[in-house]
Amino acid sequence: HSKLILPLIPPSPPLRSRAPMAAAAAISPLSLRRHHRRRDKVVVIMGATGSGKSQLSVDLAALFPSEIINSDKMQVYAGLDITTNKISPEDRLGVPHHLLGSVDPDAGELTPSDFRSLGQSVIGDISSRQKLPLIAGGSNSFIHALLAERFDPDADVFGGFDSVSHELRYNCCFLWVDVSFQVLDDYLRKRVDDMLHSGMFEELVRYYDPCRVDPPTRTGLRKAIGVPEFERCFRRRPPRRWDTWAGLDPLRRATYEEAVREIKDNTCQLAKRQIGKILLLKEGGWDLRRLDATEAFRAAMAAPGPGKGLKWAEIWDSQVLGSSTKIVKRFLEE
Ligand code: ATP
């Protein structure tokens, strides 16, 4: 495919896994192979931004021989790894990730149709190696395009639940990681602060091009939350090459704080829209299994400093990973 620029990340042996019951729940590749004569089995992890989809995908990959396919619209592109929240190479624990940072952002926007054909070939490839494809990411239009038996690029899938495709071209197990909106809203606002302290601002300063004039509608990676918000502020008060978020002069900080407020609001709006689309898919007949991660996220909010803390991990393992493992195990045995 002409939009693919980077080779797929080669499989590497899994590093230490956080998931405790790896050996017990692992399934044999044979039980997967049995089903290949029928439609390929795929597990789809859905949820709003920040709800822990990447974590769950890596946790499940430690239990079932699988590979992960990213379905986040912005994370498919190379670049802006912090701003778009790509799972870090260390956190991937050696699990192969596909369509993650592998598309050239300057080669035009990746459409749902493009994603459908790229995803199809990756699923075929993973399944042929007797591994389970785990799809994880927040773009519901990408997920719908990939899974629908018949795909109409001109249809507005989220115009109403009767436009949702009932017939799917894979045998799907849908996991929906849900967090009560108030808790998620607080968490997402804190996450933006954590991202700024992890280098998001410096990444956007490097990405900023003062000579660039965007057309009225931006495309691809330039739509990522953070890019337009900071650009507007940078135009008013240009950043200097050496500026860091922690070391900003008070004048610039005051201006840039405006962008931060917008980023927090836009991220929460995105989460709300994504939840709306997930509910529509559910109403449209998709058998989504809801996993409530609210308690885990409450614990994450109570933990001091960056990161989610030990209490989070304990609740996550028992409430989210535990239920998901049972669901996936049953699905693979069917
Ligand atoms: P739509 O049909 O509105 O395009 P979608 O479900 O296909 O929705 P979303 O994943 O909801 O796609 O993305 C919509 C917008 O949200 C993106 O264009 C971008 O502005 C922002 N966005 C999504 N994911 C990210 C991300 N990882 N980082 C930054 N911004 C993002």
Side-chain angles (χ1 to χ4, degrees):
H1 193 283
S2 62
K3 283 178 182 162
L4 266 184
I5 49 157
L6 302 174
L8 297 176
I9 299 159
S12 45
L15 306 175
R16 190 181 56 82
S17 158
R18 212 182 53 76
M21 47 305 213
I27 50 136
S28 86
L30 272 178
S31 60
L32 272 176
R33 197 177 303 139
R34 230 184 14 244
H35 295 286
H36 286 148
R37 283 180 226 111
R38 293 185 267 148
R39 287 176 306 160
D40 285 333
K41 288 195 169 190
V42 300
V43 171
V44 188
I45 303 175
M46 303 170 80
T49 180
S51 56
K53 299 179 293 298
S54 303
Q55 178 71 58
L56 183 58
S57 64
V58 171
D59 285 350
L60 288 174
L63 303 175
F64 306 96
S66 18
E67 297 187 16
I68 296 166
I69 304 170
N70 162 58
S71 57
D72 178 296
K73 235 182 192 172
M74 296 294 125
Q75 293 180 6
V76 293
Y77 299 107
L80 295 184
D81 294 354
I82 304 170
T83 304
T84 61
N85 252 298
K86 288 193 189 106
I87 181 169
S88 70
E90 308 84 72
D91 290 344
R92 291 175 207 170
L93 298 177
V95 179
H97 280 65
H98 303 273
L99 305 183
L100 182 69
S102 54
V103 175
D104 178 357
D106 299 322
E109 180 158 287
L110 194 85
T111 63
S113 297
D114 294 330
F115 184 78
R116 176 178 170 86
S117 45
L118 285 174
Q120 177 183 8
S121 90
V122 177
I123 290 175
D125 185 41
I126 297 173
S127 303
S128 72
R129 285 185 277 107
Q130 279 75 53
K131 294 245 212 115
L132 172 67
L134 277 176
I135 300 163
S139 174
N140 296 295
S141 58
F142 270 20
I143 292 174
H144 185 271
L146 174 61
L147 303 180
E149 179 67 70
R150 277 174 296 280
F151 173 65
D152 174 3
D154 300 319
D156 175 14
V157 190
F158 299 107
F161 64 83
D162 45 357
S163 4
V164 172
S165 172
H166 295 265
E167 281 173 77
L168 303 177
R169 54 181 181 158
Y170 301 104
N171 185 356
C172 300
C173 169
F174 293 104
L175 302 173
W176 166 26
V177 192
D178 193 26
V179 180
S180 99
F181 193 71
Q182 193 48 58
V183 174
L184 185 63
D185 188 282
D186 291 346
Y187 171 77
L188 289 173
R189 289 173 193 277
K190 177 175 177 274
R191 188 181 73 164
V192 173
D193 292 328
D194 292 345
M195 286 160 68
L196 286 163
H197 288 109
S198 312
M200 175 183 179
F201 173 77
E202 293 77 2
E203 185 176 80
L204 288 167
V205 169
R206 287 193 300 276
Y207 188 73
Y208 176 60
D209 175 358
C211 304
R212 192 186 164 104
V213 183
D214 270 312
T217 25
R218 289 166 178 261
T219 53
L221 190 57
R222 302 192 55 73
K223 283 199 242 176
I225 296 176
V227 175
E229 293 87 347
F230 263 113
E231 265 185 17
R232 277 193 291 276
C233 289
F234 288 166
R235 288 206 198 286
R236 278 172 35 212
R237 207 173 285 280
R240 296 159 306 184
R241 237 177 336 103
W242 59 88
D243 275 336
T244 63
W245 183 244
L248 278 177
D249 59 80
L251 221 61
R252 282 189 169 74
R253 179 168 291 279
T255 312
Y256 298 167
E257 288 286 0
E258 206 176 304
V260 175
R261 276 193 293 277
E262 281 180 48
I263 289 171
K264 289 180 177 174
D265 289 347
N266 291 340
T267 307
C268 295
Q269 289 296 328
L270 168 66
K272 206 178 254 173
R273 280 200 311 274
Q274 287 173 324
I275 295 169
K277 288 175 184 173
I278 291 170
L279 289 171
L280 213 72
L281 292 171
K282 194 166 165 54
E283 274 176 58
W286 287 22
D287 183 18
L288 310 186
R289 307 294 301 271
R290 180 174 171 272
L291 303 150
D292 192 348
T294 305
E295 281 316 308
F297 276 77
R298 276 212 182 94
M301 289 303 292
K308 296 195 187 98
L310 283 177
K311 191 80 190 143
W312 177 87
E314 197 182 296
I315 304 177
W316 176 268
D317 281 355
S318 70
Q319 295 185 4
V320 181
L321 180 57
S323 313
S324 313
T325 306
K326 282 189 204 131
I327 296 169
V328 174
K329 198 160 185 280
R330 220 171 301 134
F331 169 69
L332 293 174
E333 285 165 356
E334 271 166 18

